Amino acid sequence: ILNKTDDDDNSIIEDKCIDYQMTVSALDGNGVPFVISIKIIPKITGGAYDGLHLILFTELWIKNLTPLNLAIGAPSSQLFGSNNPVDKDSSIIAAETAIMELVSVLEFEGNTVNKDDSQVNDIIVLPGQDAEKVCEEVFEFIEVDSMANVLRRWWASEFNNSRKRPGLVKLPDSSSWKWEKHGWKKDLCGSVDREGWESCTNLVGGFSKYRTFDESHPYRRRRWVCTRERITSEKNIDWLWAEKLVVHQPYINQDQASEEQTQPDNNSITNDSSLRDVPTSVKKDEHISINIKCGDGSWSDSVTIPSRGGASNGIIRLKASRWAHARGELNKSSEHKYALYELIYNVQPLDGAWGEYTRLMKISPRIMLHNDSDKYIMHIKQAGSADDSLLQLKQKQSSHFYWSSSELPDLICVKPGFLTKERDECFCWSGVFSVNKLGMTALRVRCKDDTQYEEIRTIRAHVYIRSKTGGAGINISFREEDPLGKGSLYRIENMSPWPVWIGQDGLVANPNQSYLFSSEVSVDEDDGVLLGDSDGALAGDIVKPMSCLSFGLDAPHRRSKPRALGGLSVKDILLRVALAPLGSREGEESMKVMSFTVGTTDRLSPSKLCLSLSEEISNDLLGVRVIGCVCTDGP
């Protein structure tokens, strides 16, 4: 490491010292390497050699901050490089695979897989998982003739990149893991036959994502799955790191070593075949890839993390089902309530001196919900999903949120509730809004019966970015607004002697159960003003003379309207304002469409209420106008 003079006992340095770095990997029971980097730095004191600094570190630490049972994996190319040591072990293959099956696999890999499929990497579960359960899978392939006679059979991974069968899948550590009592079982999800077989016409085109079976197809496969469970005992309590963090150090091919870095002649630490070491030198354009799955779900797309650099952020979408487009026995018995988990990751260098060598990757839920109300329970669900998938938040409670369906849009709706079930059923679901649009939204709250619950009219939903997530994390808070409009996002003040009906424009084009209205008109005996069905969104909300109310949107997602000229879209909220119920004839004649943009003004004509007023009074009101303007009373 150092160039020293022969006649100096103090080992004075003549040339500059050389740092040396390498990685050492130990294989677990499945042959997956657990890699640690070693860096040796000469220690110089007063210009003299004074020993060595030996630094042990890993490239990336991964921490799961969610309550989900997440398994962390990586592409096989990053763990083994171009040469998989497990596939090279001829003794294992000879013991577990018959000679004819091995020949069939080699023919299959050489002749029937196209170039693109052969480049697909298998995802390998990393050692040291912090999950309580990890699902392992293998695929059984067969080729049959027209009489359903089996011509050949082989075991492989999903993309046939590696030979994999139940006998080759072992526990990483028998003292920390055990197989569940049911052992290997067939995956019957989808439209497979009774034995779990799915089929295809040729292996180049691959198998359908719906997992269908046709007796005329020559190629078939079925999936076998087995779950290993963590053993919790006093013997393995020392492995606290395995219960908290997962480490990942990519394999570095020796050919990628830089020219400045040299390798000793004897680069072997031990004669144990389960240990190996290679020099580390990562190219600047290379990246670290991480894959995540929840339980027996499918692997996520690879999360790409720059190998050189500091912070990195992003979003991860996990499907709870292994076959999201299929339905079957395993899906029905799944322990997961949701279909799609939306997570975020944040990669930061460690604090202190270790930040030079390693980084920490934190995985957390993307959407966090907060109920800021002191009085009401909040029910939240994905728009279009069943009510049994709703999330209930009590007063001042917070929780993560996941999607009930991967096929529905990313929209949510909310309704208030009470602790008692009888009172809890009186409210309807609010209009839907997007979690990806930052800002505040006022949601109109309506009751199922004909009466309006006077203590709550609107709910304010505030969507904002969660700190320290790089803009990927979202927080959504809910709280009720004052029904009289004090401090509300939208407040309607009627300072005229006429009652005013107001409602969101565009609801007729998209009606639903909460948009019912009645065009019947009655007279309030106390105030002597026209009344309609103020509980219906299409009829509009009545604002009595010299009063004010909070206003909310029945369809927050429908905000923009195309401008007549130029084809541009105005992202303003359009309102319908009238001097009669919006669903009535007088309401249509006296109605004006206004924008909620500050500075907008318009005029309403009371003389158009010809059905409710006499001809003489209508003529006297020809010159009278009710002026409406949009203004703001705060920032």
PDB file of all heavy atoms in Angstrom, residues 493-505:
ATOM      1  N   GLU A 493     -72.848  36.158   0.394  1.00  0.00           N
ATOM      2  CA  GLU A 493     -73.530  37.189   1.159  1.00  0.00           C
ATOM      3  C   GLU A 493     -74.635  37.801   0.306  1.00  0.00           C
ATOM      4  O   GLU A 493     -74.368  38.330  -0.782  1.00  0.00           O
ATOM      5  CB  GLU A 493     -72.548  38.286   1.604  1.00  0.00           C
ATOM      6  CG  GLU A 493     -71.461  37.802   2.542  1.00  0.00           C
ATOM      7  CD  GLU A 493     -70.525  38.932   2.947  1.00  0.00           C
ATOM      8  OE1 GLU A 493     -70.635  40.034   2.353  1.00  0.00           O
ATOM      9  OE2 GLU A 493     -69.674  38.706   3.822  1.00  0.00           O
ATOM     10  N   ASN A 494     -75.858  37.724   0.768  1.00  0.00           N
ATOM     11  CA  ASN A 494     -76.997  38.314   0.064  1.00  0.00           C
ATOM     12  C   ASN A 494     -77.420  39.576   0.804  1.00  0.00           C
ATOM     13  O   ASN A 494     -78.075  39.511   1.844  1.00  0.00           O
ATOM     14  CB  ASN A 494     -78.154  37.312  -0.002  1.00  0.00           C
ATOM     15  CG  ASN A 494     -79.315  37.836  -0.821  1.00  0.00           C
ATOM     16  OD1 ASN A 494     -79.228  38.891  -1.466  1.00  0.00           O
ATOM     17  ND2 ASN A 494     -80.429  37.108  -0.809  1.00  0.00           N
ATOM     18  N   MET A 495     -77.059  40.722   0.282  1.00  0.00           N
ATOM     19  CA  MET A 495     -77.391  42.004   0.895  1.00  0.00           C
ATOM     20  C   MET A 495     -78.556  42.676   0.187  1.00  0.00           C
ATOM     21  O   MET A 495     -78.780  43.874   0.354  1.00  0.00           O
ATOM     22  CB  MET A 495     -76.160  42.935   0.848  1.00  0.00           C
ATOM     23  CG  MET A 495     -74.882  42.304   1.383  1.00  0.00           C
ATOM     24  SD  MET A 495     -75.063  41.624   3.055  1.00  0.00           S
ATOM     25  CE  MET A 495     -75.343  43.124   3.964  1.00  0.00           C
ATOM     26  N   SER A 496     -79.329  41.921  -0.574  1.00  0.00           N
ATOM     27  CA  SER A 496     -80.480  42.459  -1.295  1.00  0.00           C
ATOM     28  C   SER A 496     -81.774  41.994  -0.625  1.00  0.00           C
ATOM     29  O   SER A 496     -81.760  41.071   0.197  1.00  0.00           O
ATOM     30  CB  SER A 496     -80.454  41.992  -2.749  1.00  0.00           C
ATOM     31  OG  SER A 496     -80.784  40.612  -2.827  1.00  0.00           O
ATOM     32  N   PRO A 497     -82.915  42.592  -0.976  1.00  0.00           N
ATOM     33  CA  PRO A 497     -84.201  42.128  -0.429  1.00  0.00           C
ATOM     34  C   PRO A 497     -84.760  40.908  -1.132  1.00  0.00           C
ATOM     35  O   PRO A 497     -85.869  40.473  -0.819  1.00  0.00           O
ATOM     36  CB  PRO A 497     -85.111  43.346  -0.634  1.00  0.00           C
ATOM     37  CG  PRO A 497     -84.546  44.032  -1.829  1.00  0.00           C
ATOM     38  CD  PRO A 497     -83.063  43.830  -1.760  1.00  0.00           C
ATOM     39  N   TRP A 498     -84.003  40.360  -2.072  1.00  0.00           N
ATOM     40  CA  TRP A 498     -84.489  39.222  -2.840  1.00  0.00           C
ATOM     41  C   TRP A 498     -83.730  37.957  -2.433  1.00  0.00           C
ATOM     42  O   TRP A 498     -82.515  37.998  -2.203  1.00  0.00           O
ATOM     43  CB  TRP A 498     -84.291  39.448  -4.348  1.00  0.00           C
ATOM     44  CG  TRP A 498     -85.022  40.636  -4.871  1.00  0.00           C
ATOM     45  CD1 TRP A 498     -84.562  41.913  -4.937  1.00  0.00           C
ATOM     46  CD2 TRP A 498     -86.340  40.646  -5.374  1.00  0.00           C
ATOM     47  NE1 TRP A 498     -85.503  42.736  -5.463  1.00  0.00           N
ATOM     48  CE2 TRP A 498     -86.622  41.973  -5.743  1.00  0.00           C
ATOM     49  CE3 TRP A 498     -87.325  39.676  -5.561  1.00  0.00           C
ATOM     50  CZ2 TRP A 498     -87.829  42.374  -6.292  1.00  0.00           C
ATOM     51  CZ3 TRP A 498     -88.525  40.050  -6.111  1.00  0.00           C
ATOM     52  CH2 TRP A 498     -88.783  41.381  -6.463  1.00  0.00           C
ATOM     53  N   PRO A 499     -84.397  36.819  -2.336  1.00  0.00           N
ATOM     54  CA  PRO A 499     -83.665  35.549  -2.138  1.00  0.00           C
ATOM     55  C   PRO A 499     -82.904  35.171  -3.407  1.00  0.00           C
ATOM     56  O   PRO A 499     -83.340  35.470  -4.524  1.00  0.00           O
ATOM     57  CB  PRO A 499     -84.771  34.550  -1.820  1.00  0.00           C
ATOM     58  CG  PRO A 499     -85.968  35.096  -2.508  1.00  0.00           C
ATOM     59  CD  PRO A 499     -85.855  36.609  -2.435  1.00  0.00           C
ATOM     60  N   VAL A 500     -81.772  34.558  -3.219  1.00  0.00           N
ATOM     61  CA  VAL A 500     -80.913  34.179  -4.338  1.00  0.00           C
ATOM     62  C   VAL A 500     -80.626  32.688  -4.248  1.00  0.00           C
ATOM     63  O   VAL A 500     -80.358  32.166  -3.157  1.00  0.00           O
ATOM     64  CB  VAL A 500     -79.597  34.989  -4.322  1.00  0.00           C
ATOM     65  CG1 VAL A 500     -78.667  34.522  -5.441  1.00  0.00           C
ATOM     66  CG2 VAL A 500     -79.871  36.479  -4.451  1.00  0.00           C
ATOM     67  N   TRP A 501     -80.722  32.021  -5.395  1.00  0.00           N
ATOM     68  CA  TRP A 501     -80.347  30.606  -5.492  1.00  0.00           C
ATOM     69  C   TRP A 501     -79.026  30.518  -6.240  1.00  0.00           C
ATOM     70  O   TRP A 501     -78.832  31.159  -7.283  1.00  0.00           O
ATOM     71  CB  TRP A 501     -81.415  29.810  -6.235  1.00  0.00           C
ATOM     72  CG  TRP A 501     -82.582  29.415  -5.383  1.00  0.00           C
ATOM     73  CD1 TRP A 501     -82.804  28.223  -4.781  1.00  0.00           C
ATOM     74  CD2 TRP A 501     -83.714  30.236  -5.060  1.00  0.00           C
ATOM     75  NE1 TRP A 501     -83.991  28.233  -4.093  1.00  0.00           N
ATOM     76  CE2 TRP A 501     -84.577  29.468  -4.242  1.00  0.00           C
ATOM     77  CE3 TRP A 501     -84.092  31.561  -5.363  1.00  0.00           C
ATOM     78  CZ2 TRP A 501     -85.769  29.951  -3.740  1.00  0.00           C
ATOM     79  CZ3 TRP A 501     -85.280  32.045  -4.859  1.00  0.00           C
ATOM     80  CH2 TRP A 501     -86.101  31.244  -4.046  1.00  0.00           C
ATOM     81  N   ILE A 502     -78.126  29.732  -5.729  1.00  0.00           N
ATOM     82  CA  ILE A 502     -76.795  29.628  -6.325  1.00  0.00           C
ATOM     83  C   ILE A 502     -76.378  28.163  -6.355  1.00  0.00           C
ATOM     84  O   ILE A 502     -76.680  27.394  -5.432  1.00  0.00           O
ATOM     85  CB  ILE A 502     -75.769  30.477  -5.549  1.00  0.00           C
ATOM     86  CG1 ILE A 502     -74.418  30.491  -6.263  1.00  0.00           C
ATOM     87  CG2 ILE A 502     -75.618  29.983  -4.112  1.00  0.00           C
ATOM     88  CD1 ILE A 502     -73.453  31.522  -5.696  1.00  0.00           C
ATOM     89  N   GLY A 503     -75.709  27.773  -7.416  1.00  0.00           N
ATOM     90  CA  GLY A 503     -75.251  26.393  -7.570  1.00  0.00           C
ATOM     91  C   GLY A 503     -74.116  26.305  -8.566  1.00  0.00           C
ATOM     92  O   GLY A 503     -73.868  27.231  -9.342  1.00  0.00           O
ATOM     93  N   GLN A 504     -73.412  25.185  -8.549  1.00  0.00           N
ATOM     94  CA  GLN A 504     -72.292  24.974  -9.466  1.00  0.00           C
ATOM     95  C   GLN A 504     -72.810  24.699 -10.863  1.00  0.00           C
ATOM     96  O   GLN A 504     -73.784  23.971 -11.055  1.00  0.00           O
ATOM     97  CB  GLN A 504     -71.417  23.827  -8.989  1.00  0.00           C
ATOM     98  CG  GLN A 504     -70.168  23.609  -9.830  1.00  0.00           C
ATOM     99  CD  GLN A 504     -69.319  22.466  -9.317  1.00  0.00           C
ATOM    100  OE1 GLN A 504     -69.636  21.865  -8.286  1.00  0.00           O
ATOM    101  NE2 GLN A 504     -68.243  22.160 -10.036  1.00  0.00           N
ATOM    102  N   ASP A 505     -72.175  25.279 -11.849  1.00  0.00           N
ATOM    103  CA  ASP A 505     -72.585  25.082 -13.239  1.00  0.00           C
ATOM    104  C   ASP A 505     -72.030  23.770 -13.772  1.00  0.00           C
ATOM    105  O   ASP A 505     -70.954  23.319 -13.375  1.00  0.00           O
ATOM    106  CB  ASP A 505     -72.068  26.239 -14.094  1.00  0.00           C
ATOM    107  CG  ASP A 505     -72.577  26.157 -15.524  1.00  0.00           C
ATOM    108  OD1 ASP A 505     -73.786  25.947 -15.703  1.00  0.00           O
ATOM    109  OD2 ASP A 505     -71.750  26.281 -16.452  1.00  0.00           O
TER     110      ASP A 505
END
